[in-house]
Amino acid sequence: MKNKITFREFQVHMQGFGYSDNEIKHLFGAVKALDSETRGWMIRWFWDGEFPTKEIEGVTFRYLVNDFGYKPLNAFIVLDWLKSNPDAAKYFVLLKPADTPPGEKVGNEMVEILKQNGRTPTPLYQDDILEDIQA
Amino acid sequence: MIEVLAVVEAVVLAYAVTSLVSWGVKKLLDLWGSRSLPKQEQQVAMSEADMKEIEKSKEVIKECFGEDAVDTLRKSTNLERIDLMAKFADRLTKEYDLDIDVDITVNNVQNCGYYDWEHQKAVFNIVLLMVDGNNEHFDYCVKEVLDTIVHELRHAVQHKAIREPGYWNVDDERRMAWANNMAPGNYITSSSNLKRYSQQPIEADAAVFAALVMEGAC
């Protein structure tokens, strides 16, 4: 099994899950920020399709994906979060927030407002896409 | 007419009996219980204007539901619950001086509501309140619905504050941080990365504002 993932390999695979280019960049950075155990699970899932079986706070990857409807990468991120900050992770999992991005029209309006205030939009995260995901 | 309403209520109730299972949270509630936003996550500073409105919002909850919102709603019929929530959302919209549309629905979309930035409209799904009042997780249902109403109306406040300097006394740094979060490519959806979703400026602010309103409310 390969123990690293390049951005190009990640991008090709993740496009199949319907992510936008920006989301793929965010997620590439987010996967690299996972703890080494969760990152290892993600790499095995990526190359072999293997589901990790370890329970974190009573839930498994399979439960989050199959029963709770999470996309696989979100499930890895939540498992990692349940390990590092269980109280916060549980609160937001139970919140079940809606997915309502602002849309192009509102986004463009925000850019105009920023410009009127002498600013330009800046990315919230500077995710490095050059460095590979490593086990 | 009464018969028609009774039938509607019966159908809604029949659906509601299973709704916590279909909502997907029953197992997690059995495992984890109902949760509040942890103190260490409440790092977003609230302004004086925010604190004033947080206190007023708590008063609105008391006005609409009495001292114990969970108990009031537990004892209400489904139709009364719908009516109470519509009045609560309307009352808060006026309190926050918002000129937006508000819809109350009962459906199976798997979330309690959202704010539509483009059409300036808040939609609240109160299906969780169709659960039997004796359900062991009824307090979660009430908390989620009330929290969502406050949270989504906070997004409407953010929207108005970005557009109208001076509204709610929001300082420019904060207005611009919210605007930047809504710029193309900068908003992180909960389905792509729940952790980063919760930490971005507009969501962290709305989560803390709603959590402070809900503190001690039910």
Side-chain angles (χ1 to χ4, degrees):
Chain A
M1 186 197 80
K2 287 169 80 169
N3 62 0
K4 67 175 188 175
I5 304 167
T6 65
F7 178 71
R8 182 68 191 135
E9 289 165 338
F10 186 80
Q11 188 180 35
V12 169
H13 196 77
M14 290 309 147
Q15 278 165 345
F17 287 87
Y19 293 117
S20 68
D21 287 346
N22 267 320
E23 285 176 324
I24 291 172
K25 281 181 195 162
H26 279 309
L27 288 165
F28 193 69
V31 168
K32 283 190 282 185
L34 297 173
D35 73 15
S36 60
E37 181 185 42
T38 315
R39 205 166 56 247
W41 294 341
M42 187 272 161
I43 292 171
R44 277 196 290 281
W45 167 79
F46 187 89
W47 290 117
D48 300 338
E50 187 185 315
F51 280 24
T53 54
K54 188 169 174 181
E55 261 189 22
I56 310 292
E57 297 290 331
V59 298
T60 60
F61 177 80
R62 188 177 296 279
Y63 172 78
L64 290 175
V65 172
N66 291 352
D67 297 339
F68 212 63
Y70 278 179
K71 290 180 180 176
L73 288 187
N74 206 18
F76 285 119
I77 289 164
V78 166
L79 286 176
D80 187 70
W81 200 15
L82 282 167
K83 287 193 264 182
S84 64
N85 190 348
D87 288 337
K90 287 173 186 176
Y91 174 79
F92 282 100
V93 168
L94 285 171
L95 206 59
K96 298 200 78 176
D99 246 0
T100 47
E104 195 182 339
K105 192 175 165 192
V106 173
N108 291 338
E109 183 196 354
M110 296 297 141
V111 173
E112 277 309 307
I113 291 171
L114 286 165
K115 277 186 193 162
Q116 285 161 16
N117 286 270
R119 317 209 180 191
T120 51
T122 51
L124 292 189
Y125 292 93
Q126 298 289 347
D127 292 309
D128 175 16
I129 61 168
L130 298 175
E131 190 188 330
D132 299 339
I133 294 169
Q134 307 258 9
Chain B
M1 184 62 181
I2 291 168
E3 274 179 10
V4 172
L5 289 178
V7 169
V8 169
E9 189 170 13
V11 169
V12 169
L13 190 60
Y15 165 76
V17 171
T18 58
S19 70
L20 269 187
V21 176
S22 61
W23 198 254
V25 295
K26 176 139 186 5
K27 174 186 167 162
L28 297 183
L29 284 170
D30 290 344
L31 270 171
W32 300 342
S34 183
R35 321 287 302 184
S36 299
L37 184 65
K39 286 282 175 205
Q40 70 267 22
E41 300 304 311
Q42 298 182 18
Q43 299 299 321
V44 178
M46 291 285 122
S47 67
E48 205 175 302
D50 291 331
M51 294 313 292
K52 199 172 129 196
E53 287 301 334
I54 285 166
E55 288 312 310
K56 284 191 176 174
S57 305
K58 286 176 186 281
E59 286 169 22
V60 172
I61 291 177
K62 283 206 169 73
E63 275 172 35
C64 293
F65 305 104
E67 287 298 318
D68 188 337
V70 175
D71 194 49
T72 300
L73 288 160
R74 193 192 310 280
K75 291 172 181 164
S76 306
T77 65
N78 287 336
L79 295 177
E80 286 168 343
R81 291 172 189 175
I82 293 169
D83 189 46
L84 280 167
M85 284 301 151
K87 282 180 181 152
F88 173 60
D90 184 57
R91 181 73 182 76
L92 266 195
T93 305
K94 288 192 173 78
E95 174 59 40
Y96 299 164
D97 191 23
L98 295 169
D99 184 20
I100 60 168
D101 292 328
V102 175
D103 270 4
I104 304 281
T105 71
V106 178
N107 64 51
N108 196 25
V109 292
Q110 298 287 305
N111 64 64
C112 289
Y114 61 91
Y115 175 63
D116 177 340
W117 291 72
E118 185 174 341
H119 301 102
Q120 295 180 74
K121 180 179 179 178
V123 178
F124 302 117
N125 173 26
I126 61 167
V127 68
L128 283 182
L129 289 182
M130 303 299 108
V131 168
D132 184 352
N134 293 318
N135 186 292
E136 60 187 318
H137 298 303
F138 191 68
D139 61 334
Y140 161 84
C141 300
V142 172
K143 198 162 70 70
E144 285 305 299
V145 171
L146 292 180
D147 185 288
T148 300
I149 291 174
V150 177
H151 181 118
E152 301 308 330
L153 291 181
R154 177 65 172 182
H155 286 322
V157 167
Q158 293 164 342
H159 197 181
K160 187 169 176 178
I162 293 168
R163 286 175 150 180
E164 296 179 23
Y167 167 71
W168 203 286
N169 281 331
V170 181
D171 66 63
D172 281 350
E173 277 311 307
R174 203 170 189 197
R175 287 176 53 240
M176 293 304 107
W178 289 343
N180 187 59
N181 193 172
M182 302 304 283
N186 275 357
Y187 183 80
I188 299 161
T189 60
S190 60
S191 66
S192 71
N193 186 336
L194 185 67
K195 186 178 180 185
R196 281 192 182 180
Y197 159 89
S198 75
Q199 294 167 341
Q200 62 194 325
I202 62 164
E203 294 301 343
D205 173 82
V208 171
F209 184 84
L212 291 174
V213 170
M214 294 303 295
E215 220 171 55
C218 58

